[in-house]
Amino acid sequence: PHCAHVMAVPSSPSNEFVKALYSYNGADQEKGLSFSLSTVLLVAQRTEDGWCRGACAGAVGWFPASYVKTLDEQRLAEKGIQPSALAAVIRSPQWLAYSTEEDKLYYVSTETQATTWTLPDVSPPQNTLQKQMSGLEAFVQLQSKPDTKNPVTKPEKTRKPKYKIVNGLTFLENGPEQSPLNPSEISYVDHFWSDKGDQSGFDIILTKQLNGKFSMKDMIEFFRERAQIEEQYAKSLMKLSKSTLADQEEGTLKKAWLSVKAELRHRSEAHSKFANEMLKELEKPMFEFKESQKKGRKEHQQIMEKSRKLVQSLEASIEKTRSSLLGGSKAKVQKKSSKQEEPNLARRRSSVQGDDLKKLEDSYNHAQTQWIDNMINACQDYEQQEDERSDFLKDMLFKYIDRCVAVDESSAESLSRVTDSVERINKQADREYFIKVNGTGTQRPVDATFTT
């Protein structure tokens, strides 16, 4: 982008840890700081025009304030993370700190790429000034002074993020690409964040789960009916084997004929056993497996519906408050009053509404973050359920083939094609196909700023 050299604008010292909502390429700006999504940075200075000066991995530079969100230091303290120790790690060129969706921190070595959940023990740099104060205080004092001798290169106008609201959720328009949550494989958790038509991404995944349930019910009914047919066939064979047909034969011919009837009785018993095995080893386990997935599926469905409704309700309240605030501002400009109290009252009312809007904004962003966490959990569990269902059915079909061959060895050749098809069942390929056809989007919702 086109840039211009400007002197440092009014700013205030800061002392906070922030999490990167997007990746940022600081190489595009003079004295810019580069970082990736979810990086934890230490901010020492904020300017009034929306820029931050901070550090990560031993580097210091500028970046847009809209690209980060402040981490709750109280929550960090509850997890036993000392600010001075975390600041030392962030300033160290040997480590990068990251934050998960649940704001749990982990650390990656820049030298070995080793990852750890434990805060590394990093001794702060020992220069003359930092020997006299804590590492965090030294960083703040050194970095909070505006750089007036060397102007900072920033865009001529700070680019404010452009949002779009999709059924209550906030997305960044034309924002930087977000890093996948599961980079090792194509997964639900990275491809169903937006809506498609009147269905949310979660609704589409839930529909697949429900279709899987109905498919299981159909397969159970198939094996139940097959068992009934086998049992009826066995009874018919047994009845025929006990008939008196051709009993008038004598001698060796009669013995041969009786052996035919005896074989028929054995065949009847084999088919009866096959029917019982289908009920015991196929129909019953499949029913129990189907029921075992019901609870988890319903729990996620209820949590997601409640979470989405809360986000939509808060977004509607924000729009109502914003409209009231904007309407009040226009009315105040249009209406001129001779009384001094009325403008003061209007200003007080506007201030209260502004405070209400900020509280709603905080509640909305918190609720949306919770919805994101719920969505991640649902995607992971539903994907695992589908993988388990695929593996389970593959085993069931192999059992079915084995039982068919056991009852009639001549069927082995005709069942070879079935065996080949079952062996080629590939749960990952099936998942990728489902995502390719039904995926709704890879961009996750972001925190919104409605107060301006």
Side-chain angles (χ1 to χ4, degrees):
H2 181 63
C3 301
H5 291 280
V6 295
M7 296 299 292
V9 298
S11 63
S12 60
S14 181
N15 179 7
E16 58 184 320
F17 298 104
V18 298
K19 170 184 176 180
L21 299 173
Y22 322 102
S23 298
Y24 180 68
N25 185 8
D28 294 338
Q29 316 296 335
E30 184 181 336
K31 298 185 180 180
L33 181 65
S34 298
F35 49 81
S36 58
L37 174 72
S38 300
T39 302
V40 177
L41 305 98
L42 178 60
V43 174
Q45 180 183 353
R46 284 182 180 267
T47 65
E48 292 181 357
D49 62 344
W51 284 80
C52 292
R53 197 177 185 202
C56 73
V60 177
W62 290 90
F63 53 89
S66 59
Y67 275 56
V68 298
K69 76 169 184 177
T70 302
L71 291 175
D72 187 339
E73 288 198 26
Q74 183 176 350
R75 291 184 64 183
L76 294 178
E78 291 172 355
K79 297 174 183 177
I81 299 175
Q82 295 297 322
S84 58
L86 179 57
V89 171
I90 292 175
R91 294 197 318 276
S92 170
Q94 279 79 42
W95 291 96
L96 277 166
Y98 292 94
S99 174
T100 66
E101 293 287 341
E102 299 82 11
D103 289 342
K104 183 178 180 181
L105 302 191
Y106 64 98
Y107 312 91
V108 179
S109 169
T110 57
E111 297 176 347
T112 65
Q113 303 303 310
T115 301
T116 176
W117 292 101
T118 304
L119 183 68
D121 183 12
V122 178
S123 300
Q126 296 298 312
N127 60 35
T128 303
L129 178 61
Q130 288 171 329
K131 286 180 181 179
Q132 303 172 7
M133 60 188 75
S134 73
L136 182 59
E137 291 170 344
F139 177 78
V140 171
Q141 290 195 19
L142 286 171
Q143 305 304 333
S144 62
K145 297 177 182 178
D147 188 358
T148 56
K149 292 183 179 180
N150 300 305
V152 180
T153 301
K154 296 181 292 187
E156 291 181 345
K157 293 183 179 180
T158 302
R159 292 175 294 176
K160 294 182 179 179
K162 292 183 178 180
Y163 302 117
K164 62 177 180 180
I165 309 295
V166 180
N167 292 332
L169 298 174
T170 301
F171 296 87
L172 195 65
E173 284 190 352
N174 302 320
E177 185 176 349
Q178 298 172 338
S179 300
L181 297 174
N182 186 5
S184 61
E185 59 182 349
I186 297 178
S187 176
Y188 290 178
V189 77
D190 288 312
H191 294 87
F192 290 91
W193 288 103
S194 191
D195 291 359
K196 181 180 284 187
D198 59 351
Q199 280 193 310
S200 69
F202 172 77
D203 290 338
I204 291 174
I205 299 175
L206 177 61
T207 298
K208 179 172 179 56
Q209 298 302 108
L210 294 174
N211 286 340
K213 179 191 75 171
F214 296 138
S215 178
M216 289 283 288
K217 289 178 66 176
D218 289 344
M219 290 182 185
I220 291 169
E221 182 61 27
F222 173 90
F223 288 122
R224 185 182 295 125
E225 291 187 12
R226 176 68 198 271
Q228 290 174 354
I229 292 172
E230 288 293 326
E231 185 61 35
Q232 186 59 46
Y233 181 51
K235 290 178 180 179
S236 297
L237 292 179
M238 183 60 72
K239 181 181 178 180
L240 183 59
S241 71
K242 293 179 179 180
S243 71
T244 59
L245 296 174
D247 277 0
Q248 63 270 28
E249 283 292 345
E250 297 177 347
T252 57
L253 187 56
K254 183 173 184 177
K255 288 182 179 180
W257 181 245
L258 290 176
S259 68
V260 169
K261 287 186 176 182
E263 189 280 331
L264 197 59
R265 284 195 295 274
H266 291 310
R267 187 176 294 271
S268 169
E269 292 167 356
H271 282 280
S272 180
K273 180 181 178 182
F274 181 33
N276 290 330
E277 286 176 341
M278 275 196 287
L279 293 176
K280 183 179 178 180
E281 299 181 19
L282 297 175
E283 189 261 355
K284 184 179 178 181
M286 289 178 68
F287 177 81
E288 291 174 347
F289 181 87
K290 178 180 70 70
E291 292 299 301
S292 71
Q293 291 197 326
K294 180 190 297 185
K295 182 179 178 182
R297 182 179 63 248
K298 284 191 173 181
E299 284 181 353
H300 283 300
Q301 182 179 3
Q302 293 169 354
I303 290 172
M304 289 299 295
E305 287 177 354
K306 183 178 179 180
S307 182
R308 186 68 177 258
K309 285 179 181 178
L310 176 59
V311 173
Q312 291 173 333
S313 174
L314 287 168
E315 191 270 331
S317 296
I318 287 172
E319 286 304 309
K320 183 177 179 180
T321 304
R322 287 182 69 189
S323 298
S324 177
L325 189 59
L326 293 173
S329 299
K330 292 178 181 178
K332 184 172 67 174
V333 172
Q334 294 173 355
K335 183 178 180 181
K336 295 182 179 180
S337 172
S338 60
K339 298 181 180 180
Q340 186 64 32
E341 305 93 282
E342 292 185 3
N344 291 337
L345 180 61
R347 279 194 293 272
R348 286 197 298 273
R349 184 180 294 114
S350 177
S351 177
V352 171
Q353 289 176 327
D355 292 341
D356 291 343
L357 182 58
K358 179 58 180 173
K359 291 177 181 177
L360 281 171
E361 178 186 298
D362 292 341
S363 297
Y364 170 83
N365 286 331
H366 177 75
Q368 183 173 247
T369 298
Q370 187 61 54
W371 179 89
I372 292 173
D373 291 342
N374 294 337
M375 179 65 170
I376 291 173
N377 292 333
C379 285
Q380 291 173 338
D381 286 355
Y382 280 4
E383 185 173 296
Q384 182 178 348
Q385 279 195 357
E386 182 60 19
D387 285 352
E388 290 173 351
R389 193 179 76 92
S390 180
D391 289 338
F392 176 79
L393 288 178
K394 189 173 184 177
D395 288 342
M396 291 296 101
L397 292 176
F398 276 131
K399 278 188 178 182
Y400 173 71
I401 293 170
D402 290 342
R403 298 302 175 268
C404 287
V405 173
V407 76
D408 184 4
E409 292 184 2
S410 64
S411 65
E413 185 175 351
S414 63
L415 285 169
S416 62
R417 292 182 181 180
V418 181
T419 302
D420 291 341
S421 294
V422 175
E423 287 177 343
R424 286 195 293 269
I425 291 176
N426 186 322
K427 59 188 177 185
Q428 186 171 345
D430 291 346
R431 184 199 315 148
E432 291 178 5
Y433 175 79
F434 169 71
I435 291 173
K436 180 180 179 181
V437 174
N438 300 284
T440 63
T442 59
Q443 290 295 103
R444 298 184 291 277
V446 298
D447 283 357
T449 302
F450 298 101
T451 54
T452 54

